[in-house]
Amino acid sequence: MTVPRIWRKIPQYYNLIGKKCQKCNSLYFPPRDVCTHCGEINLQNYKLEGNGEIITFTVIRTPMPDPEGEIIDIPGRQIPYIIAIIKLDQGPCLTSEIVDCSPGEVKIGKKVKSVFRKIVEKGPRGVIQYGCKFKLI
Amino acid sequence: MRKVAIIGIGMTKFGNLWDRDLVSLSVEAGMKACHDANISQEEVEALYGGTMSGGLFVNQEHVAALLGDFSGLKNIPCTRVEAACASGGLALRQAYIDVASGMHDIVVAGGVEKMTDIGGAAVTKTLATAASQEWEAVYGATFPGLYAMVAKLHMHKYGTTEKQLAMCAVKNHKNAVYNPFAQFRREISVQDVLNSQKVADPLNLLDCSPITDGAASVILASEKKAKKLCKKPIWILGSGHAIDTISLHDREDITTLKATVEAAKQAYKQAKLSPKDIDCVEVHDCFTIAELCAVEDLGFCKKGESGKFIESGHTQIGGSIPVNTSGGLKAKGHPIGASGIAQVIEAVLQLRGEAKGRQVDAKIAMTHNVGGTGGTAVVHILGR
Ligand SMILES: [Zn+2]
C-alpha cells in the first residue's frame, strides 16, 4: 500500500484501536463509522486488548504478491504461512497472521495474543508496514 | 412489472485463449446471441455488461462504451456492472429490471473477462481485490485462503471431509466432458484432487476454479416481443440480489453465505417456488467448498449436511438436484465477469432441451452467482 494509506491507519494497525458505539456499546474492529447493530453514527475510538481465540485458519502454501505485484519474500512471511480469523475476547473478529509456531500446532479454539510485527516490506528500499500479528499462548 | 424472457444465448469457448482479446471475445458472444435470437444488433436497445476488472487484467476501463461501440451498438445506453465474480449475474439482473420496468423491449446482458494476459501472481492479486484490501489482503489473505478458512470451519463443525470436497470437482469435470465450450473436458479422480498441489489447507489446486478467458451474452425481451420473435422463450420467474459483510470475519456464521440465503429467498418468493421445485441448478463453485455451502444456503439440504448429500449422488446428473451440469466454474472455466451469464446459458440450454450429452429433465432451473467470499450474491429462477 502507498505511504498515506498506511499512515492514516497507524493507530488501528499498530495498536488495535477500534470503535465503540456510544448508544448500544457495540465494539468494532476493524473500525466502522456507522453502528451496524443500532444505526448510531456516534462511535468513539476504543482500544482493544489483543487476546483472543482462533475461529478458523488456513496454511497458505502458494505465494502472495504484494499490491504492486512483487512476490513478498520477507522474514516472517515465507511460504508456508498461517492466516486465521480471530475472535477477540472483547467480541470483534479480525483476520491476521499466526506467527512463531509451525502449522501443525495451530488448532481451531486455541488461545492467541497479539504481537507487533512487520506486515509488508516493498522491495529492498521500499516502505515497511507494521502491525499486529498473533501468536499462540 | 412486465414478464421478461431470454430469447437468445451466445458464448465463446472458455479457456486460455492467447490469440483473443477482450473486445473480440465480447463481440463474438454478442453476435452469437443475436443470431440465436434471430435479431440484428441494430434491434438491441440497451446493454448491461459484467466485468470484474478490465483495469487490472488488461488495463482497460470504460468497457461498456468500448464493447458497445465494437459490437455495432450505435448511441444506445451501455452500462458496465461490477460486483467482483457476481458481475455477470448482476448484469443480467439489471437488464431484467430494465425490460421489466418497460423502459426497453430488447436488451443484451453480457459478461467478459480476459485474465491470461497477466501472470499468475498478478491474477492472485487482482482476485484478492474482491476482499477488503486493508483488513484481509494486507495480512496475506489470498482468495483461495479465505475460502480455505470456510472449508476448515465446515469440516470442524460438521465433519465434512476433503474427499467430499474433491467429489464436487470430480463431478464437475465429468459433466464438462459433454460441454463443448468448457475449458477442461476430461475426467479426474478423487485421488487426483487429493494429490494435486496444496494451495491453502485444506484446498488443493483441483479444488480451485482456473484462470480463464471468455465471454457470454444473452438477449432479453419483453413478453410481446418474445412471443413474436421466439419459439422457445425461457422466462425469468424470479430474481434476487443481496449483499453481506465484505469480510468473512464480520459474519456470525462463517460457513453460511447470508447473501445467498437472502437472494434465494427473494427469487423463491417472486417465483412462488421452493427448493423442491428446482430441477437443476448452476451454483458458484469458485472453490469446491463454495459448492457445498451453496447447496445448503439455497435450501437443497440442511446446513452442515452437504458433504453427505454430495457423497450420496444427489447432485449428479440423474440425481435429485443436478448441480453444475455445465461443468461449473471448476471445469467449464471461470472468466470472472462472464461466469454469471454462462450459468444462465446452461439453464436456458437445459430448459430448451438442447444440452445434449448432459441433458436433464428440467422445467425449472436456477442460477447462483457470488461475488468475493459472499459479499454479493445473485440468484435467478428460470422456466419454460
Ligand atoms: Zn450501536
Side-chain angles (χ1 to χ4, degrees):
Chain A
M1 289 200 267
T2 56
V3 174
R5 205 169 171 186
I6 298 166
W7 180 264
R8 71 173 81 102
K9 287 209 164 58
I10 279 180
Q12 291 87 347
Y13 283 138
Y14 285 20
N15 291 317
L16 291 176
I17 305 293
K19 292 275 185 171
K20 183 176 185 179
C21 174
Q22 300 303 296
K23 195 172 159 195
C24 76
N25 294 324
S26 293
L27 295 176
Y28 293 100
F29 193 92
R32 286 172 182 260
D33 295 324
V34 178
C35 179
T36 49
H37 288 285
C38 75
E40 177 62 37
I41 55 166
N42 181 12
L43 278 71
Q44 299 293 326
N45 284 347
Y46 186 89
K47 165 111 178 68
L48 287 146
E49 306 301 326
N51 295 311
E53 180 187 321
I54 294 172
I55 298 294
T56 184
F57 70 98
T58 183
V59 184
I60 306 272
R61 297 182 188 276
T62 60
M64 167 69 181
D66 90 341
E68 302 300 293
E70 300 159 35
I71 303 291
I72 290 166
D73 184 22
I74 54 163
R77 191 172 312 146
Q78 278 163 348
I79 308 301
Y81 61 90
I82 306 154
I83 59 163
I85 292 177
I86 293 147
K87 186 174 176 65
L88 298 173
D89 290 346
Q90 289 157 295
C93 292
L94 54 83
T95 301
S96 190
E97 191 177 336
I98 307 289
V99 291
D100 299 346
C101 65
S102 68
E105 294 172 70
V106 182
K107 297 271 180 303
I108 289 174
K110 279 208 170 175
K111 299 285 183 191
V112 292
K113 69 170 188 182
S114 67
V115 287
F116 188 72
R117 289 295 162 85
K118 188 193 286 184
I119 303 289
V120 171
E121 178 179 341
K122 236 199 232 176
R125 289 190 303 172
V127 183
I128 299 174
Q129 180 177 352
Y130 295 95
C132 292
K133 296 184 179 178
F134 287 77
K135 68 173 195 178
L136 300 175
I137 46 175
Chain B
M1 287 217 306
R2 304 196 296 177
K3 276 180 76 175
V4 179
I6 295 171
I7 63 164
I9 56 175
M11 67 186 279
T12 66
K13 167 85 181 157
F14 279 10
N16 184 350
L17 311 174
W18 63 271
D19 57 333
R20 302 292 303 278
D21 62 23
L22 186 79
V23 172
S24 83
L25 289 168
S26 308
V27 172
E28 180 189 331
M31 291 305 139
K32 279 177 169 172
C34 285
H35 181 259
D36 185 57
N38 207 15
I39 60 167
S40 84
Q41 65 273 22
E42 276 120 31
E43 293 171 75
V44 171
E45 296 165 45
L47 172 146
Y48 293 84
T51 184
M52 176 184 173
S53 193
L56 294 174
F57 284 123
V58 289
N59 206 17
Q60 178 69 60
E61 306 290 11
H62 208 177
V63 169
L66 173 72
L67 301 181
D69 174 14
F70 279 81
S71 301
L73 306 178
K74 291 186 192 116
N75 309 118
I76 65 163
C78 294
T79 307
R80 172 179 169 180
V81 179
E82 191 272 314
C85 331
S87 300
L90 195 53
L92 176 79
R93 182 174 153 89
Q94 300 313 310
Y96 166 65
I97 292 168
D98 186 326
V99 178
S101 75
M103 183 71 91
H104 297 111
D105 285 322
I106 297 182
V107 173
V108 177
V112 64
E113 215 74 60
K114 173 70 197 176
M115 299 173 73
T116 61
D117 277 352
I118 56 173
V123 171
T124 306
K125 164 201 148 194
T126 303
L127 294 179
T129 63
S132 165
Q133 290 302 291
E134 289 174 341
W135 302 112
E136 292 173 300
V138 70
Y139 294 105
T142 58
F143 197 43
L146 291 166
Y147 270 100
M149 290 200 286
V150 176
K152 194 76 150 181
L153 189 57
H154 203 281
M155 291 164 78
H156 177 81
K157 275 173 91 167
Y158 304 115
T160 308
T161 64
E162 287 183 39
K163 195 179 153 206
Q164 289 167 339
L165 292 173
M167 286 174 136
C168 291
V170 170
K171 166 185 65 66
N172 291 344
H173 270 255
K174 194 174 162 191
N175 293 348
V177 169
Y178 301 97
N179 186 347
F181 294 97
Q183 184 165 7
F184 299 124
R185 301 184 67 194
R186 58 179 164 84
E187 291 200 42
I188 57 170
S189 69
V190 167
Q191 213 51 45
D192 290 336
V193 182
L194 298 179
N195 291 345
S196 61
Q197 187 194 342
K198 290 192 178 306
V199 173
D201 303 358
L203 301 181
N204 298 338
L205 188 65
L206 290 178
D207 285 293
C208 308
S209 55
I211 294 165
T212 311
D213 303 325
S217 288
V218 295
I219 313 279
L220 273 58
S222 60
E223 184 174 15
K224 205 169 145 192
K225 285 271 184 190
K227 284 183 171 161
K228 201 174 122 198
L229 291 166
C230 185
K231 279 196 205 84
K232 281 188 196 170
I234 300 301
W235 302 97
I236 297 177
L237 306 177
S239 174
H241 171 207
I243 66 152
D244 193 4
T245 65
I246 193 87
S247 297
L248 285 177
H249 58 232
D250 281 325
R251 300 191 191 154
E252 219 157 286
D253 176 11
I254 288 161
T255 63
T256 298
L257 276 70
K258 208 171 170 195
T260 295
V261 175
E262 293 299 321
K265 207 184 278 177
Q266 295 168 22
Y268 283 131
K269 188 179 170 199
Q270 186 189 351
K272 298 191 181 69
L273 294 169
S274 71
K276 65 176 186 335
D277 301 311
I278 308 297
D279 298 315
C280 62
V281 59
E282 289 289 303
V283 307
H284 195 91
D285 61 319
C286 49
F287 301 95
T288 47
I289 181 61
E291 180 161 324
L292 269 81
C293 292
V295 166
E296 295 169 357
D297 297 337
L298 293 169
F300 299 115
C301 71
K302 284 202 193 108
K303 183 54 44 190
E305 291 179 3
S306 58
K308 287 192 189 90
F309 191 75
I310 282 156
E311 197 166 9
S312 54
H314 287 288
T315 61
Q316 304 263 3
I317 289 175
S320 60
I321 174 73
V323 175
N324 287 335
T325 53
S326 69
L329 277 47
K330 172 68 200 78
K332 183 180 57 200
H334 185 23
I336 309 291
S339 282
I341 300 291
Q343 292 178 324
V344 172
I345 289 179
E346 178 68 10
V348 169
L349 288 171
Q350 290 289 354
L351 293 168
R352 284 180 181 173
E354 295 172 2
K356 304 214 167 94
R358 60 187 196 280
Q359 183 68 48
V360 298
D361 183 19
K363 289 187 184 65
I364 306 286
M366 176 182 260
T367 62
H368 163 251
N369 194 196
V370 172
T373 51
T376 296
V378 182
V379 173
H380 283 96
I381 299 175
L382 310 172
R384 289 196 293 229

